[in-house]
């Protein structure tokens, strides 16, 4: 059973900065895709008889009625990004399995008074959609954006962000950090600068601030540690990673015996056997079942499922919060059935 692919037709291409482009899709095609700001779109392509999936952040805001669009940065060895940046043209059709991701606004957004966005480089792409949504749809919330780049000329959405700051001058504060700045203490984000910025711009208590962080791994780690040190609760910090590098985990599941797995998916139920070293996702593939996935590294959340019965052990998780795991969410790409059979549901 193969996952249904949805076609998308490119209607507009805009170069934001060298090697970064926005791709806009036809409304008729995109109508079949529901998404939330902060999520990504997973595209599918064939290469040498092998299916390749890559995820790109959605930059449009559904609340604003904008046409579905994604931001793509050219990666030197990136199969799909090179194809898109170098060769894609208006009228081309792409295939997607739809939108996914957990880098979204909290259900209880009214519980927060202020949102801090921390972005570096192309990390602005999912944040851009979140930023626009809050500004236009949630007038009671103040917003701060800290955005690190080399220089203004390599800053994605630089003009658009300046316009938003002017339009929402009473609610939006933006600090652009440029590594070419002669002021070395403000050229790059560091822990002391992070703490000074929050102290200067926070208008409420740390418990009423929610933070979104997107950028390279070292940048995200810096933000996470710095924010935790000044009292921002862990559950108030959300991170997005663009890395698909698999983390080598030496630990093995507490149970390596074969177990039966049933999956409720697309209105049907499927059964297969899973056993270490194959993950749940790999076992499903072997059984001919094509489930949603992208990174296969426990870093994007595209493969998330709800465990309805049994136990799933995960070798790595950079996506799900403790609350989400307590609700039964697991990642099939790094998950293993342990201590018996497992029943999963995929929305």
């Amino acid at each position: 059973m193969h996952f249904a692919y949805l076609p998308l037709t490119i209607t507009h291409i805009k170069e934001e900065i060298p090697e970064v482009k926005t791709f806009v899709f036809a409304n008729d095609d995109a109508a079949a895709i529901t998404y939330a700001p902060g999520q990504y779109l997973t595209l599918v392509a064939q290469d040498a008889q092998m299916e390749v999936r890559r995820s790109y952040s959605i930059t449009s805001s559904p609340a604003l009625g904008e046409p579905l669009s994604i931001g793509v940065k050219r990666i030197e060895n990136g199969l799909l990004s090179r194809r898109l940046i170098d060769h894609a043209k208006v009228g081309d059709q792409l295939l997607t399995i739809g939108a996914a991701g957990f880098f979204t606004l909290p259900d209880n957004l009214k519980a927060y008074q202020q949102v801090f966005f921390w972005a570096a480089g192309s990390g602005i792409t999912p944040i851009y959609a979140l930023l626009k949504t809050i500004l236009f749809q949630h007038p009671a919330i103040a917003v701060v954006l800290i955005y690190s780049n080399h220089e203004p000329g390599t800053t994605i959405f630089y003009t658009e962000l300046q316009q938003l700051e002017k339009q929402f001058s009473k609610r939006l504060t933006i600090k652009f950090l440029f590594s070419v700045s002669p002021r070395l203490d403000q050229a790059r984000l560091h822990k002391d600068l992070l703490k000074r910025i929050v102290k200067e711009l926070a208008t409420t208590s740390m418990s009423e601030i929610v933070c979104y962080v997107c950028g390279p791994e070292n940048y995200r780690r810096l933000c996470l540690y710095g924010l935790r040190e000044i009292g921002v609760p862990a559950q108030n910090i959300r991170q997005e990673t663009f890395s698909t590098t698999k983390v080598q985990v030496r630990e093995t599941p507490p149970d390596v015996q074969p177990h039966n797995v049933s999956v409720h998916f697309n209105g049907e139920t499927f059964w297969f056997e899973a056993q270490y070293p194959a993950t749940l996702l790999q076992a499903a593939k072997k059984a001919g079942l094509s489930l949603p996935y992208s990174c296969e590294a426990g870093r994007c959340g595209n493969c998330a499922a709800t465990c309805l019965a049994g136990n799933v052990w995960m070798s790595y998780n950079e996506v799900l919060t403790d609350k989400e795991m307590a609700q039964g969410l697991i990642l099939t790409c790094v998950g293993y059935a342990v201590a018996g059979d497992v029943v999963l549901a995929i929305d």
Side-chain angles (χ1 to χ4, degrees):
M1 197 284 292
H2 290 284
F3 194 85
Y5 300 145
L6 302 170
L8 289 173
T9 303
I10 301 173
T11 58
H12 182 69
I13 301 173
K14 179 188 177 186
E15 183 176 70
E16 303 294 348
I17 61 171
E19 302 200 331
V20 175
K21 292 182 178 180
T22 293
F23 294 84
V24 183
F25 302 109
N27 285 328
D28 289 348
D29 296 342
I33 298 172
T34 52
Y35 68 95
Q39 290 190 309
Y40 51 77
L41 200 66
T42 298
L43 301 181
V44 182
Q46 291 295 131
D47 181 61
Q49 311 304 314
M50 181 180 69
E51 181 183 270
V52 176
R53 299 187 183 189
R54 294 291 184 270
S55 298
Y56 300 101
S57 293
I58 297 172
T59 57
S60 52
S61 169
L64 275 60
E66 297 174 327
L68 177 63
S69 61
I70 59 172
V72 179
K73 177 182 178 180
R74 190 183 191 279
I75 305 299
E76 190 58 39
N77 296 316
L79 171 71
L80 226 52
S81 68
R82 284 187 295 125
R83 191 179 297 179
L84 287 168
I85 296 296
D86 297 346
H87 304 295
K89 58 187 184 300
V90 170
D92 285 355
Q93 194 173 79
L94 306 177
L95 294 177
T96 179
I97 62 170
F102 293 88
F103 195 65
T104 54
L105 296 176
D107 294 333
N108 61 333
L109 187 57
K110 291 182 179 179
Y112 302 98
Q113 298 295 316
Q114 192 172 24
V115 178
F116 274 75
F117 291 111
W118 307 84
S122 59
I124 191 64
T125 48
I127 283 175
Y128 188 47
L130 292 165
L131 177 70
K132 290 184 290 183
T133 302
I134 292 177
L135 290 174
F136 284 95
Q137 294 288 308
H138 302 277
I141 295 179
V143 182
V144 176
L145 168 65
I146 315 308
Y147 188 17
S148 299
N149 286 281
H150 179 63
E151 60 178 314
T154 60
T155 301
I156 305 169
F157 306 134
Y158 188 46
T159 301
E160 292 88 341
L161 290 170
Q162 289 178 309
Q163 290 172 346
L164 284 172
E165 187 177 31
K166 185 176 180 180
Q167 183 178 352
F168 295 93
S169 58
K170 293 183 179 179
R171 291 175 50 217
L172 173 62
T173 300
I174 301 179
K175 279 191 175 293
F176 293 103
L177 303 181
F178 300 121
S179 57
V180 296
S181 171
R183 286 198 58 180
L184 298 181
D185 64 325
Q186 294 194 18
R188 297 177 184 272
L189 187 67
H190 51 87
K191 201 178 288 186
D192 288 341
L193 178 57
L194 180 149
K195 293 177 180 179
R196 288 205 305 270
I197 289 172
V198 176
K199 184 177 180 180
E200 173 193 347
L201 299 177
T203 56
T204 186
S205 66
M206 295 299 105
S207 63
E208 293 182 318
I209 290 175
V210 62
C211 296
Y212 289 81
V213 182
C214 190
E217 195 144 339
N218 288 339
Y219 177 87
R220 291 187 298 109
R221 192 178 296 115
L222 162 71
C223 290
L224 176 61
Y225 293 158
L227 292 168
R228 292 292 289 119
E229 285 180 14
I230 57 176
V232 179
Q235 64 267 25
N236 291 21
I237 304 171
R238 291 151 195 254
Q239 300 183 77
E240 181 75 313
T241 175
F242 293 153
S243 173
T244 58
T245 303
K246 291 182 173 60
V247 177
Q248 296 302 316
V249 180
R250 297 173 186 249
E251 191 178 358
T252 57
D255 173 9
V256 296
Q257 299 303 308
H259 297 293
N260 294 317
V261 179
S262 63
V263 179
H264 304 300
F265 177 50
N266 274 355
E268 298 182 66
T269 301
F270 305 90
W271 291 268
F272 58 90
E273 185 179 83
Q275 182 178 14
Y276 180 84
T279 64
L280 292 170
L281 177 63
Q282 291 166 342
K285 284 183 182 180
K286 187 177 179 181
L289 178 59
S290 180
L291 299 178
Y293 73 90
S294 180
C295 74
E296 298 186 84
R299 294 184 137 177
C300 77
N302 205 333
C303 70
T306 301
C307 183
L308 302 178
N311 295 284
V312 173
W313 179 87
M314 291 186 291
S315 61
Y316 188 76
N317 167 38
E318 205 171 288
V319 183
L320 302 176
T321 63
D322 290 343
K323 181 179 178 181
E324 288 162 342
M325 288 188 289
Q327 294 170 342
L329 284 177
I330 61 98
L331 303 174
T332 62
C333 75
V334 290
Y336 303 85
V338 295
D341 298 343
V342 167
V343 179
L344 304 176
I346 297 177
D347 294 332

